[in-house]
Amino acid sequence: SSGINAEYGGGRVPMKIREEFGHHLKCALRHTYVRDTRDDLLVPSRGTKHMLETELAGFMGDVNHVKVSAESQFNARFILGYSATLSVRGGVVHELGDNPRTWITDKFFCGGPGSVRGFYEDGIGRPLGGTMHWGAGFSLTRKLPFSPHIWGLGKYMRVHHFANAGNVGSCKDELIKDPRVSVGSGLIMKIANFRMEINYAVPIRHQPDDVVNHGLQFGIGINFM
């Protein structure tokens, strides 16, 4: 099919994406439940967070589905001044109607500083994404050995070591087969109401179509795995 692909951004746009070019109308209801008992929203050392988001689309337009995303995070004090964090997340899109179809804008992608580090943003699952995804992460964080009074470094900076895994697909077999895995270490900084990370990440399992970022990776946001 490469003969009918279009050039876009220096690469090739698959025919399945070209077929979705044009206008689409989506009308949806979305409900989000969050329970958060963490002692810090950006760099927690104890407590848990649970999130469940449900979206129902199909009242008008050409988008008909039920989309569910869930996420849990568990934090606890560990040894040698470290805090341990275990994060898990997942999601699924279930198509509805007589002519079910999930547009690429509603599909799941994975990868990036906030999910599976060591990959570029949404670098797992390109170019078509998937109707299912999962991710998991384990990290150890601790304060830097600086006094809080020395430029505030001890108060606003942490060192952390992490292991991430995840996958996307359109069936259960694809989710289980060949998960992506990465490990690494880096620094965490609290800046205003954001968390900034500078990491050195090493992808140890990836696929040929993935967009890998082996080495230094920068990320800023409020929700990290």
Side-chain angles (χ1 to χ4, degrees):
S1 61
S2 59
I4 57 176
N5 283 347
E7 294 286 346
Y8 179 78
R12 296 278 185 176
V13 178
M15 191 61 185
K16 289 185 178 180
I17 296 180
R18 294 182 62 197
E19 291 174 352
E20 298 187 11
F21 287 178
H23 298 283
H24 303 285
L25 176 62
K26 176 179 177 179
C27 182
L29 292 176
R30 181 180 300 170
H31 176 265
T32 302
Y33 167 81
V34 178
R35 185 176 186 272
D36 197 338
T37 63
R38 296 175 298 173
D39 58 349
D40 191 294
L41 298 181
L42 300 177
V43 191
S45 61
R46 57 187 175 186
T48 62
K49 174 189 175 183
H50 304 287
M51 186 276 293
L52 177 64
E53 183 177 271
T54 306
E55 177 183 278
L56 176 62
F59 305 100
M60 293 186 297
D62 54 355
V63 180
N64 301 278
H65 66 233
V66 175
K67 185 175 182 179
V68 179
S69 299
E71 179 180 348
S72 289
Q73 185 183 99
F74 306 88
N75 302 276
R77 298 285 176 85
F78 202 54
I79 60 175
L80 301 177
Y82 280 95
S83 298
T85 299
L86 174 65
S87 300
V88 292
R89 61 178 58 166
V92 61
V93 178
H94 179 69
E95 299 160 337
L96 304 173
D98 298 330
N99 186 24
R101 181 170 186 175
T102 302
W103 302 107
I104 192 171
T105 52
D106 289 306
K107 289 184 177 180
F108 295 108
F109 293 85
C110 195
S115 59
V116 182
R117 301 171 179 88
F119 297 82
Y120 280 94
E121 191 71 31
D122 297 337
I124 299 174
R126 290 188 183 183
L128 301 177
T131 56
M132 303 177 182
H133 87 102
W134 67 269
F138 178 78
S139 64
L140 295 173
T141 64
R142 64 160 295 167
K143 294 181 179 180
L144 288 173
F146 299 133
S147 168
H149 304 292
I150 302 179
W151 306 308
L153 293 179
K155 182 178 180 181
Y156 297 107
M157 297 183 68
R158 303 285 193 278
V159 62
H160 79 139
H161 317 284
F162 59 84
N164 297 146
N167 213 347
V168 297
S170 296
C171 65
K172 294 181 180 179
D173 291 340
E174 292 180 359
L175 287 182
I176 300 173
K177 182 180 179 181
D178 298 325
R180 282 69 162 184
V181 181
S182 66
V183 296
S185 299
L187 291 175
I188 300 173
M189 287 158 279
K190 293 176 62 176
I191 301 177
N193 294 321
F194 297 94
R195 166 172 165 165
M196 184 173 71
E197 291 189 2
I198 302 176
N199 300 314
Y200 189 90
V202 180
I204 57 179
R205 292 194 65 176
H206 57 88
Q207 300 302 315
D209 292 335
D210 296 336
V211 188
V212 176
N213 183 9
H214 185 147
L216 289 176
Q217 187 174 39
F218 168 83
I220 186 169
I222 58 175
N223 189 26
F224 288 80
M225 188 167 68

